[in-house]
């Protein structure tokens, strides 16, 4: 049947009518001979379109990857004026009950002369909306905008996924669409999102537990030794002598605190040598920072060698500097008060008791830049360890924005333990109910070991050649040719492939309501002020006051603190002095 016969009397084209035939088959590829003239209604066999080959009782589904005017049939059929090369991806078969189902892979190959036609809307809907799978709708197919693009949510989550794309292509909106659908279809899964730019706070409405830098609490004792030393030295190389002192005294401080707790509860136990307590520097149990400082100070007082004393003195100065810095209050606010808050912390971070808010959004912008890597490392480690020791009782999806920042392909860049913590989730997390979602604009800078564990990928527009090359190396599907569209994709358009997608395809993410769009709080406020008055010196002065106030222990005049004219007796005690008094009182109670 030629193309003219395939046209209906009203000029429309019947997609189910045969438009070509198989000329040759080689592995997962087939050459299809196409006739001429071609229908003029736009239903053309062009690159990126899907075709179906009638092969006995099955219909094999493939995507056109190349079209040529050359007649590969050797001139045997003068009606065939072009040839299309298609990649075979799956098949539609009818079971014993007469129900048609789609499955990935090809169980039998076509024969020479088998008829082919453009895939119909009914077939495309069958592929992307299977009745026997739990799916989520993430957008519309570019092949036919009337067909919703569905993804197998179980395969998507349990086998990890990645969303890749340059800045400004709609990547954040795509993340919000996917996570919103996961929340709707999988209420049993808890979500934890690392928000590097504080832009997702309004995307999930009342379902989200937003943790901002002001409300964030992560006690210093929950950091392991590598993470704590990274905080103390601000990401710079640690001093070996000082690290040795910390590694020896931290377990003793932990044992000392345990002794306080036993005495305060009235439990009589045999006094144990702190060195023989069994605690290590990485055991996640509370201890008092004041005890650690006292141990360091006592050791320093017993030394006569001046050079040895200086190592202890410098370490004391480092500890006092960061504990008095208000930017580190999320770690050291109750450093000398104590209290085992690990259960409450895990419940709050990972929504173990969701209370209608199954997703946590951890806003990282506003935390000290020097400690962000260590904080992310702690969060990754806590997520994995909770899944490990709970035997996967609570499925958790850990979504990492700007993943290339925390897990760089270059071992010399970033914080090594953070990369290892993410890699551990990627390689072993699914065994313990901890799953990974990566979002990055530079996949070439991301550790290839981590991205290779993502079985489903959504690739948006990327112009960088290195990013495209890495993507090609990661795609093991026959649809690698779809990646040729990556540089020319529009905003919101995406090429999806992998285990979560029935067949690789080009689609467009669903549009979000205006109020649910991801946007940075600072950016939106600055846009809102564009119509206002020009910035003057008073405004700039208030910015400088806030800037300086962020690193001051007390409040400045702009924040309501007493002015310089207030006499000394009228001034309120400094916040630092009050905290010290409360800390000392608390320690005395615990020691009793």
């Amino acid at each position: 049947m030629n193309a003219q016969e395939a046209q209906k009397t009203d000029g429309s084209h019947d997609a189910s009518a045969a438009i070509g035939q198989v000329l040759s088959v080689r592995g997962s590829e087939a050459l299809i001979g196409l006739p001429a003239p071609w229908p003029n209604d736009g239903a053309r066999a062009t690159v990126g379109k899907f075709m179906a080959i009638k092969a006995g009782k099955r219909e094999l589904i493939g995507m056109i990857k190349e079209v040529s005017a050359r007649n590969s049939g050797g001139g045997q059929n003068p009606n065939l004026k072009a040839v299309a090369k298609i990649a075979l991806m799956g098949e539609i078969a009818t079971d014993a009950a007469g129900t048609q189902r789609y499955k990935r892979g090809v169980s039998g190959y076509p024969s020479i002369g088998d008829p082919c036609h453009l895939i119909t809307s009914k077939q495309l809907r069958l592929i992307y909306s299977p009745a026997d799978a739990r799916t989520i709708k993430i957008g519309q197919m570019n092949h036919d905008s009337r067909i919703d693009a569905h993804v197998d949510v179980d395969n998507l989550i349990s086998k990890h996924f990645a969303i890749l794309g340059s800045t400004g292509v709609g990547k954040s909106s795509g993340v919000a669409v996917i996570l919103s659908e996961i929340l709707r279809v999988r209420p049993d899964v808890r979500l934890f999102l690392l928000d590097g730019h504080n832009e997702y706070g309004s995307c999930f409405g009342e379902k989200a537990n937003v943790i901002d830098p002001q409300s964030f609490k992560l006690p210093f004792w929950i950091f392991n030794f590598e993470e704590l030393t990274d905080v103390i030295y601000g990401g710079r190389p640690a001093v070996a002598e000082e690290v040795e002192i910390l590694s020896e005294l931290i377990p003793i401080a932990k044992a000392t605190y345990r002794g306080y707790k036993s005495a305060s509860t009235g439990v009589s136990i045999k006094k144990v040598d702190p060195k023989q307590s069994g605690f290590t520097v990485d055991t996640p149990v509370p201890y008092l920072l004041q005890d650690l400082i006292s141990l360091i100070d006592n050791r320093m007082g017993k030394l006569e060698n001046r050079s040895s004393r200086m190592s202890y003195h410098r370490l004391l100065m480092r500890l006092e500097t960061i504990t008095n810095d208000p930017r580190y209050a999320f770690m050291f606010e109750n450093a000398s008060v104590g209290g085992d808050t690990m259960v409450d912390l895990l419940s709050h971070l990972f929504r173990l008791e969701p209370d209608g808010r199954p997703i946590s959004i951890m806003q990282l912008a506003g935390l000290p830049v020097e400690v962000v890597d260590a904080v992310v490392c702690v969060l990754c480690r806590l997520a994995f360890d909770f899944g490990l020791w709970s035997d996967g009782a609570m499925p958790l999806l850990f979504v990492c924005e700007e993943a290339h920042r925390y897990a760089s392909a270059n071992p010399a860049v970033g914080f090594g333990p953070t990369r290892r913590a993410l890699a551990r989730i990627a390689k072993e997390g699914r065994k313990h109910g901890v799953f990974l979602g990566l979002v990055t604009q530079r996949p070439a800078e991301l550790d290839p070991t981590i991205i290779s564990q993502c079985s489903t990928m959504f690739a948006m527009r990327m112009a960088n050649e290195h990013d495209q090359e890495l993507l090609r190396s990661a795609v093991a599907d026959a649809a690698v040719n779809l990646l040729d569209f990556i540089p020319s994709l529009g905003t919101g358009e995406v090429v999806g492939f992998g285990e979560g997608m029935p067949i690789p395809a080009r689609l467009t993410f669903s549009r979000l309501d205006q109020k649910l769009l991801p946007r940075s709080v600072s950016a939106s406020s600055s846009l809102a002020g564009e119509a206002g008055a020009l910035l003057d010196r008073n405004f700039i002065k208030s910015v400088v006051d806030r800037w300086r106030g962020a690193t001051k222990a007390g409040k400045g005049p702009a924040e309501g603190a007493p002015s310089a004219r207030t006499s000394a007796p009228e001034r309120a005690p400094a916040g630092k002095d009050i905290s010290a008094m409360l800390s000392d009182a608390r320690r005395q109670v615990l020691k009793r």
Side-chain angles (χ1 to χ4, degrees), residues 107-366:
S107 60
Y109 290 93
S111 301
I112 303 300
D114 281 350
C116 338
H117 62 84
L118 291 174
I119 194 170
T120 64
S121 296
K122 179 181 178 181
Q123 290 173 323
L124 196 60
R125 190 172 287 108
L126 174 66
I127 293 171
Y128 271 92
S129 302
D132 56 347
R134 184 160 46 178
T135 63
I136 57 174
K137 174 193 169 186
I138 63 172
Q140 292 76 38
M141 300 292 299
N142 281 28
H143 184 88
D144 187 342
S145 59
R146 297 170 298 176
I147 308 298
D148 293 333
H150 286 255
V151 177
D152 187 322
V153 66
D154 297 325
N155 280 332
L156 178 73
I157 295 175
S158 63
K159 298 180 180 179
H160 308 321
F161 67 90
I163 302 176
L164 320 171
S166 302
T167 301
V169 299
K171 188 166 68 271
S172 298
S173 297
V175 172
V177 168
I178 291 176
L179 297 187
S180 296
E181 284 294 295
I182 292 175
L183 289 174
R184 182 181 63 84
V185 176
R186 289 291 304 271
D188 59 310
V189 175
R190 302 292 179 264
L191 275 67
F192 186 87
L193 171 61
L194 288 176
D195 185 1
H197 301 291
N198 296 6
E199 58 183 343
Y200 291 97
S202 61
C203 292
F204 307 98
E206 296 298 324
K207 293 183 178 181
N209 170 45
V210 180
I211 307 172
D212 57 27
Q214 289 71 40
S215 62
F216 183 44
K217 304 298 177 188
L218 194 66
F220 71 96
W221 52 262
I222 213 164
F223 286 61
N224 68 22
F225 192 60
E226 281 185 302
E227 296 155 355
L228 183 61
T229 53
D230 188 70
V231 171
I232 294 174
Y233 294 95
R236 298 182 297 273
V239 180
E241 293 82 1
E242 299 174 16
V243 168
E244 184 178 353
I245 295 169
L246 284 173
S247 65
E248 181 182 357
L249 297 183
I250 286 178
I252 299 177
K254 293 178 179 179
T256 302
Y257 179 79
R258 183 185 181 187
Y260 295 160
K261 297 298 292 181
S262 299
S264 64
T265 56
V267 178
S268 177
I269 60 173
K270 184 179 180 181
K271 188 174 181 179
V272 179
D273 183 357
K275 294 183 179 180
Q276 306 297 324
S277 65
F279 292 130
T280 70
V281 290
D282 291 332
T283 307
V285 296
Y287 63 97
L288 299 180
L289 188 63
Q290 188 59 45
D291 284 340
L292 177 61
I293 292 175
S294 297
L295 288 169
I296 297 173
D297 192 51
N298 291 337
R299 287 286 182 89
M300 183 174 65
K302 296 177 181 179
L303 296 174
E304 296 181 0
N305 187 306
R306 178 177 174 81
S307 60
S308 299
R309 287 171 58 90
M310 288 306 298
S311 295
Y312 286 84
H313 180 70
R314 284 192 296 266
L315 179 57
L316 283 174
M317 294 302 295
R318 294 184 199 277
L319 292 174
E320 290 178 0
T321 298
I322 62 172
T323 54
N324 292 331
D325 190 334
R327 298 178 303 157
Y328 293 79
F330 71 95
M331 290 179 59
F332 299 104
E333 187 174 34
N334 295 318
S336 296
V337 177
D340 190 351
T341 59
M342 192 166 181
V343 173
D344 293 335
L345 175 67
L346 293 174
S347 299
H348 179 64
L349 287 178
F350 304 130
R351 310 310 299 155
L352 306 182
E353 297 174 353
D355 297 329
R357 297 174 181 243
I359 178 172
S360 278
I361 301 174
M362 179 66 241
Q363 296 185 336
L364 298 173

Side-chain angles (χ1 to χ4, degrees), residues 400-522:
C400 182
E401 264 271 12
E402 301 292 343
H404 61 278
R405 173 181 174 181
Y406 311 113
S408 174
N410 184 355
V413 176
F415 186 41
T418 308
R419 179 171 55 253
R420 294 196 296 271
L422 273 174
R424 194 180 185 194
I425 294 177
K427 292 187 288 188
E428 306 173 37
R430 66 188 68 181
K431 303 174 186 176
H432 309 294
V434 183
F435 313 113
L436 186 63
L438 299 177
V439 185
T440 179
Q441 56 183 297
R442 289 305 312 274
E445 296 181 3
L446 183 62
D447 188 335
T449 302
I450 296 176
I451 197 170
S452 66
Q453 298 294 323
C454 297
S455 298
T456 305
M457 293 193 185
F458 300 97
M460 307 185 77
R461 186 170 68 244
M462 287 182 289
N464 187 279
E465 292 183 3
H466 295 293
D467 294 332
Q468 296 178 38
E469 289 174 4
L470 180 135
L471 196 57
R472 289 180 183 278
S473 65
V475 178
D477 210 302
V480 67
N481 295 276
L482 267 175
L483 302 183
D484 293 335
F485 296 108
I486 296 295
S488 60
L489 291 174
T491 300
E493 289 188 338
V494 59
V495 173
F497 49 89
E499 292 294 328
M501 302 286 293
I503 54 175
R506 182 175 174 179
L507 55 100
T508 302
F509 278 127
S510 301
R511 291 187 177 274
L512 294 169
D513 291 339
Q514 192 68 23
K515 63 181 181 180
L516 299 179
L517 286 173
R519 57 170 63 88
S520 173
V521 176
S522 58

Side-chain angles (χ1 to χ4, degrees), residues 24-31 109:
S24 67
V25 180
R26 181 180 180 181
S28 61
E29 292 183 348
L31 293 182
Y109 290 93

